[in-house]
Amino acid sequence: MAGALGDIGTHAHHLGRYVTGLEVEALCGELTTFVPGRRLEDDASLLVRWGGGVRGTLTVSQVAAGEENGLALRVFGSEGSIAWRHDDAETLWLRTPDGRARARRRGHGWISPAAAGASRVPPGHPEGFIEGFANLYRNVIRTIGALNEGRRPDEADLDFPTVRDGARGVHFLERAVESGRRGAWVDARYEPPGPGEATS
């Protein structure tokens, strides 16, 4: 179904949705296979139309020589922008139209309660990749525990991917592959099935 998009693009898609709160409405993709013998694409470039008139690009590649893990997100707005990179996960860059750039790092008093709850070590000590998964597992266990006890789960504990997030990711991949095959924009809005309906 999808190569580089399935391996890498799903992470970028979910990261964009999670950070902005927006859903993909349409996309136009070019999927290419550069390595002879590969059956699925190893490089993809997408133009993306998000909700609210927001436009974006998504680029993934398994043939970018010398790159290790270049997952990055940049969001631009009328009052400034944010930038984050997986290889410097401790830092969020804030930039304003007047050219000022500020680095915001994990573990300081300015972070939100949700971010503070996901930090396990004090500033200056690198937070590990595995701790991100530990936070998800902790939230799932707390949510299951609350439901088993007949309690409403704490809102902060509900911060983990769901089956519907997975379905959105698969839908995104299907639309991207279709766009690449057709060489055209495709509708990428996801309508979750109602109760009792099968997912596709």
Side-chain angles (χ1 to χ4, degrees):
M1 176 180 160
L5 274 170
D7 184 29
I8 305 165
T10 53
H11 299 297
H13 168 249
H14 184 261
L15 184 61
R17 286 184 54 241
Y18 184 83
V19 170
T20 66
L22 301 173
E23 296 292 346
V24 173
E25 293 187 344
L27 55 83
C28 184
E30 182 177 32
L31 284 61
T32 309
T33 305
F34 285 106
V35 177
R38 282 193 175 160
R39 295 173 51 196
L40 301 172
E41 92 287 345
D42 51 24
D43 189 84
S45 298
L46 306 178
L47 296 174
V48 181
R49 292 179 181 162
W50 298 84
V54 174
R55 300 294 183 260
T57 60
L58 189 150
T59 304
V60 300
S61 182
Q62 293 174 322
V63 293
E67 280 292 327
E68 292 179 354
N69 186 340
L71 180 62
L73 174 73
R74 295 187 300 169
V75 179
F76 299 91
S78 59
E79 297 181 25
S81 66
I82 61 170
W84 175 87
R85 293 186 54 86
H86 185 271
D87 59 4
D88 185 19
E90 301 275 321
T91 306
L92 177 71
W93 284 97
L94 305 172
R95 291 181 172 87
T96 53
D98 62 7
R100 287 185 295 155
R102 291 178 298 184
R104 295 292 197 168
R105 296 185 55 81
R106 180 206 49 78
H108 294 281
W110 68 270
I111 64 176
S112 70
S119 295
R120 298 169 185 267
V121 295
H125 300 278
E127 193 88 34
F129 176 67
I130 299 303
E131 279 74 13
F133 290 102
N135 288 334
L136 294 177
Y137 302 146
R138 176 200 60 200
N139 289 354
V140 169
I141 293 299
R142 287 181 179 173
T143 298
I144 291 170
L147 294 173
N148 284 342
E149 295 170 5
R151 293 184 292 109
R152 182 180 180 88
D154 186 280
E155 189 67 29
D157 290 337
L158 295 173
D159 187 20
F160 56 84
T162 66
V163 170
R164 289 201 173 179
D165 290 313
R168 280 184 174 90
V170 170
H171 178 79
F172 170 77
L173 291 176
E174 290 173 343
R175 298 292 81 79
V177 169
E178 179 185 342
S179 174
R181 286 186 184 140
R182 290 176 41 197
W185 282 93
V186 297
D187 188 318
R189 287 174 283 208
Y190 175 75
E191 297 295 333
E197 292 182 55
T199 58
S200 59

